């Protein structure tokens, strides 16, 4: 009963409607007065052809099932890798993301990014019978921060001095296991505590556009997507197949109210039902892709949020006393 009209920025023969909708009238030769050639080129470079944002905002299509679309697609992962050596990368030094699991079925996972590129992954399952699981997990994480700090210092001396990676450079999922961060802090090892259910943090303002987010989890998923698209981050699918696979699991919903667009991410329980497990490696990745904030624990000669250049060496001011106690 509707008169269906489509207004598209691109010719219909170039991008046919994937849902085979029939339109009474199609306007697909939009004058440059409304959409410039540069804007079209930017859209083609940024979006996958099946991206629901591209389908609705640029092709004017009624996207059946668009609320079930993926946050990240395989094309976004491949495109981010293709940007290496082409896009000038920001020098943000090392960042660690840690997703804490109970051991069975979900492991503890950690991701190390150096200047936006994933360089190492770690998986560990604490024994369920261990009554002091939080203590052993905290001790293991402290060891990892030391080990990866030395590794980054050796491989990238231009941006890290080999000290333990601590403070706001280590983002830990604090949603269900706050005790681990408490133990680390009590030993003089502070971290960036992240509760996925809390309000958005406002990170990476240059990537967020005009979107708003339901919570911190939605914000982190969406900014990881945008960061991959813009060349801020890269994950080698051959080296880290679990990350590349799990990155494509989450689906998002765009809702509009009187103040603009809100991004929501489907519940993790729904993801588990579809895939049989939690996307632990991707969770640690999006934690590592958070924007480091200035901290008294991490001292830099530049902006830890991404403004410093490679010659500005990052140093840690944390005392080693805490590390000795943990070991």
């Amino acid at each position: 009963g509707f008169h269906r009209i489509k207004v598209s920025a691109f010719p219909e023969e170039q991008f046919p409607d994937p849902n085979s909708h029939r339109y009474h009238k199609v306007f697909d030769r939009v004058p440059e007065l409304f959409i410039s050639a540069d804007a079209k080129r930017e859209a083609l470079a940024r979006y996958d052809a099946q991206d629901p944002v591209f389908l609705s905002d640029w092709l004017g299509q009624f996207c059946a099932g668009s609320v079930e679309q993926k946050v990240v697609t395989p094309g976004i992962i491949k495109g981010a890798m293709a940007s290496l050596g082409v896009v000038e990368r920001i020098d943000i030094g090392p960042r660690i993301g840690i997703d804490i699991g109970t051991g069975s079925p979900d492991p503890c996972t950690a991701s190390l990014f150096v200047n936006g590129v994933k360089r190492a992954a770690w998986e560990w399952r604490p024994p369920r019978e261990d009554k002091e699981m939080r203590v052993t997990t905290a001790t293991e994480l402290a060891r990892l921060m030391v080990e990866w700090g030395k590794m980054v210092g050796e491989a990238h001396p231009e941006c890290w001095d080999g000290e333990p990676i601590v403070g706001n450079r280590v983002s830990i999922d604090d949603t269900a296991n706050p005790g681990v961060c408490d133990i680390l802090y009590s030993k003089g090892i502070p971290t960036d505590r992240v509760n996925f259910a809390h309000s958005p943090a406002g990170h990476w303002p240059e990537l967020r556009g005009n979107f708003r987010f339901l919570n911190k989890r939605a914000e982190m998923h969406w900014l990881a997507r945008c960061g991959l698209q813009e060349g801020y981050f890269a994950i080698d699918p051959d080296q880290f197949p679990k990350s590349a696979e799990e990155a494509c699991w989450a689906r998002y919903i765009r809702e509009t109210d009187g103040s603009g667009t809100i991004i929501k991410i489907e519940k993790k329980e729904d993801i588990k039902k579809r895939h049989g497990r939690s996307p632990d490696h991707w969770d640690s990745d999006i934690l590592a892709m958070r924007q480091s904030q200035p901290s008294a624990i991490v001292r830099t000669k530049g902006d830890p949020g991404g403004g410093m250049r490679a010659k500005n060496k990052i140093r840690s001011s944390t005392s080693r006393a805490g590390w000795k106690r943990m070991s």
Side-chain angles (χ1 to χ4, degrees):
F2 290 93
H3 189 79
R4 198 179 289 249
I5 300 172
K6 180 173 76 170
V7 180
S8 172
F10 297 94
E12 191 171 26
E13 59 267 21
Q14 182 180 0
F15 294 102
D17 193 318
N19 300 304
S20 301
H21 286 307
R22 291 186 178 183
Y23 297 91
H24 295 88
K25 186 68 177 178
V26 175
F27 299 94
D28 59 1
R29 297 294 191 277
V30 181
E32 189 163 343
L33 172 65
F34 299 107
I35 302 177
S36 69
D38 288 342
K40 292 181 181 180
R41 283 192 291 269
E42 182 180 346
L44 291 173
R46 178 169 186 176
Y47 296 106
D48 181 88
Q50 299 304 312
D51 190 302
V53 174
F54 183 70
L55 291 173
S56 62
D57 293 6
W58 290 89
L59 302 186
Q61 294 175 359
F62 293 89
C63 306
S66 63
V67 296
E68 298 178 353
Q69 294 300 318
K70 298 176 180 179
V71 179
V72 175
T73 65
I76 291 177
I77 296 289
K78 293 178 181 177
M81 285 302 298
S83 73
L84 290 176
V86 178
V87 177
E88 182 181 359
R89 311 197 69 79
I90 55 176
D91 300 316
I92 55 178
R95 291 208 86 260
I96 297 175
I98 298 169
D99 182 65
I100 299 176
T102 57
S104 179
D106 297 330
C108 295
T109 57
S111 299
L112 171 67
F113 282 65
V114 181
N115 293 336
V117 181
K118 187 168 184 177
R119 296 300 186 187
W122 171 81
E123 181 178 313
W124 175 60
R125 296 180 184 273
R128 290 182 63 89
E129 65 274 10
D130 186 358
K131 295 181 180 180
E132 301 297 327
M133 186 196 73
R134 288 186 175 89
V135 175
T136 56
T137 299
T139 302
E140 186 71 5
L141 295 181
R143 179 200 63 78
L144 188 69
M145 296 175 205
V146 174
E147 180 180 314
W148 276 357
K150 292 179 180 178
M151 183 179 74
V152 175
E154 293 173 359
H156 302 275
E158 76 283 356
C159 75
W160 194 253
D161 58 9
E163 290 290 302
I165 303 171
V166 294
N168 282 330
R169 291 187 173 277
V170 182
S171 297
I172 300 179
D173 177 12
D174 195 44
T175 307
N177 294 284
V180 174
C181 292
D182 290 336
I183 293 169
L184 287 169
Y185 186 81
S186 70
K187 302 299 182 181
I189 308 170
T191 57
D192 172 34
R193 302 179 180 218
V194 180
N195 188 311
F196 286 155
H198 285 179
S199 300
H203 289 185
W204 300 117
E206 66 272 32
L207 294 177
R208 44 193 313 118
N210 295 323
F211 291 124
R212 293 178 294 127
F213 306 96
L214 176 66
N215 50 30
K216 194 168 294 184
R217 177 171 174 261
E219 177 189 51
M220 290 168 61
H221 273 275
W222 192 260
L223 293 182
R225 162 200 171 102
C226 294
L228 289 167
Q229 290 176 319
E230 296 297 325
Y232 277 50
F233 311 116
I235 300 172
D236 187 341
D238 295 326
Q239 187 177 1
F240 304 105
K242 288 185 178 180
S243 284
E245 177 190 5
E246 295 173 6
C248 302
W249 287 1
R251 298 171 179 175
Y252 72 93
I253 302 170
R254 292 201 313 164
E255 293 185 355
T256 303
D257 61 12
S259 301
T261 301
I262 303 173
I263 300 295
K264 300 180 180 181
I265 303 297
E266 65 175 331
K267 296 179 180 179
K268 182 175 284 190
E269 289 75 14
D270 295 334
I271 298 176
K272 289 182 178 180
K273 288 179 182 178
R274 276 202 313 277
H275 298 280
R277 59 184 175 88
S278 174
D280 300 302
H281 289 268
W282 179 242
D283 282 345
S284 64
D285 289 338
I286 64 175
L287 284 162
M289 286 186 265
R290 279 169 59 79
Q291 185 177 26
S292 293
Q293 301 297 301
S295 168
I297 303 302
V298 176
R299 182 180 70 252
T300 73
K301 293 183 180 179
D303 174 15
M308 64 189 175
R309 309 316 305 163
K311 63 182 179 180
N312 293 328
K313 195 171 185 180
I314 308 168
R315 298 185 180 276
S316 168
S317 61
T318 302
S319 167
R320 290 186 174 273
W323 303 103
K324 293 180 181 178
R325 288 196 298 272
M326 288 300 297
S327 61

